[in-house]
Amino acid sequence: MSYVLFTATGCTRCKIVKAFMAKNGIAFEEKDMKAEGKDEFKKFYSANRCFITRGQDGVEFPVLTDGEEIRQGIGATIAYLSAGKKLDGFFCVGTLHKEWVDGIHPCSGNLEYAEEFLEVLRYLKGNAMKLQVETSGRNSHVLNQIFVEGLADRVIMNVVGPATIYSKIVGKPVDVSDIQKSIALVAQFPSYQYQTTVVPVIRQEGDMPEISYLTPGEIAETAKFIEEGTGSKKNPYLIRLFKPAESKDERLKSIEPLTSLFPYRTAARACQVLTELEKV
């Protein structure tokens, strides 16, 4: 298999990936998009625009391709080099810079390959990177291993809603006790935050589905859920605004956006006194 690695001059993450490939005897051709590889990357990006994420600060490097698959960012690239597609779901393109790596999701990958996932985190930590892990609470035992080994510097837990409708919001069966364990664990990391996006919930499926936003009362239940898991009312808790245009569910793209989150903050503060609203 022939690999092409698109890099950028001075990119520390690119250097770490190159060191990983060299250590494991993986041959590759490097193309620096700020030097001789500039024109080639432009062509590659133009042809694969839908597979490469471009954020506010531009394209995150490195970008790896073997001619069939494309992986972007340090986590996803090392994961692919380590185990092929087996670790898909655990990593996505992040938004943080310098020594921080995000886009790490222990709740989303195939548990059969949890050890391989952890091995990637160990490599990143071994190269002095700071890791931000994001979870919705599933796979608490993997999160626990991350805690035991000190593999995460910061954890963000998206507590999607109250326990009674957690599975409905996630869209798949969820073991509430698993979520409770994660809530308790998250507060033990060096830095952490709980957050909830006030999403529209499909209350009743069908040709004419019944859809309505989480209510302030349900956000209060969610804050209570966090209090019960941590034994504290003083956790950093952020309430976020749902953006219909960014939804992957076509049924939710046309729903009217909320105009104010203040009633939600008021409701949440009864159980989480540090509740704040996302700045938009």
Side-chain angles (χ1 to χ4, degrees):
M1 185 174 292
S2 176
Y3 291 105
V4 173
L5 186 69
F6 292 102
T7 62
T9 303
C11 167
T12 300
R13 299 164 190 234
C14 301
K15 293 177 182 176
I16 292 173
V17 170
K18 287 192 294 181
F20 178 87
M21 297 178 82
K23 177 184 176 183
N24 290 281
I26 302 172
F28 65 100
E29 182 179 3
E30 180 182 4
K31 296 184 182 295
D32 188 333
M33 61 79 63
K34 291 187 176 179
E36 83 291 341
K38 185 176 181 178
D39 291 339
E40 191 156 349
F41 180 72
K42 282 184 177 178
K43 292 179 183 176
F44 180 78
Y45 177 72
S46 179
N48 298 281
R49 191 183 298 267
C50 60
F51 301 110
I52 300 174
T53 299
R54 187 181 187 91
Q56 292 182 338
D57 299 319
V59 174
E60 179 183 344
F61 289 90
V63 176
L64 176 82
T65 182
D66 57 10
E68 295 182 0
E69 298 289 330
I70 296 172
R71 293 296 183 275
Q72 181 180 7
I74 185 173
T77 298
I78 291 179
Y80 185 68
L81 291 168
S82 300
K85 296 181 180 180
K86 294 176 181 176
L87 299 184
D88 284 0
F90 283 120
F91 296 93
C92 68
V93 179
T95 59
L96 300 180
H97 300 292
K98 296 184 178 178
E99 74 272 25
W100 281 93
V101 177
D102 60 339
I104 302 168
H105 303 274
C107 60
S108 302
N110 185 340
L111 282 180
E112 185 178 347
Y113 304 109
E115 179 54 34
E116 287 85 347
F117 163 66
L118 292 168
E119 191 59 36
V120 174
L121 301 192
R122 293 178 191 122
Y123 184 80
L124 295 174
K125 284 295 290 180
N127 280 276
M129 303 304 285
K130 293 183 177 179
L131 307 187
Q132 175 174 292
V133 169
E134 298 156 41
T135 179
S136 63
R138 296 172 65 242
N139 306 339
S140 60
H141 65 291
V142 180
L143 185 64
N144 182 63
Q145 193 60 32
I146 291 172
F147 173 72
V148 169
E149 295 190 39
L151 295 175
D153 300 90
R154 178 175 170 80
V155 176
I156 294 178
M157 181 170 179
N158 187 25
V159 186
V160 303
T164 50
I165 58 171
Y166 214 94
S167 295
K168 187 182 289 290
I169 297 172
V170 172
K172 61 180 72 172
V174 168
D175 179 353
V176 171
S177 66
D178 195 25
I179 306 301
Q180 289 172 319
K181 290 176 183 176
S182 288
I183 289 175
L185 263 172
V186 165
Q188 300 179 53
F189 280 85
S191 175
Y192 69 96
Q193 175 179 285
Y194 300 98
Q195 63 184 32
T196 302
T197 301
V198 182
V199 296
V201 181
I202 301 174
R203 310 279 178 175
Q204 185 70 45
E205 297 281 357
D207 294 336
M208 298 287 287
E210 180 185 338
I211 304 174
S212 62
Y213 278 102
L214 284 169
T215 66
E218 287 170 332
I219 289 295
E221 291 179 47
T222 307
K224 182 68 174 177
F225 194 21
I226 296 170
E227 180 191 355
E228 292 172 346
T230 62
S232 173
K233 291 178 181 288
K234 296 183 178 180
N235 295 290
Y237 182 43
L238 184 69
I239 296 178
R240 306 181 67 196
L241 186 69
F242 176 77
K243 299 171 183 173
E246 297 178 4
S247 177
K248 295 180 180 178
D249 190 330
E250 292 297 326
R251 295 171 297 180
L252 306 182
K253 285 184 180 296
S254 60
I255 195 168
E256 286 294 320
L258 288 170
T259 57
S260 174
L261 291 177
F262 288 114
Y264 292 91
R265 183 175 66 180
T266 301
R269 281 186 169 175
C271 294
Q272 290 301 319
V273 300
L274 302 179
T275 301
E276 294 295 347
L277 302 180
E278 180 185 34
K279 295 179 181 177
V280 294

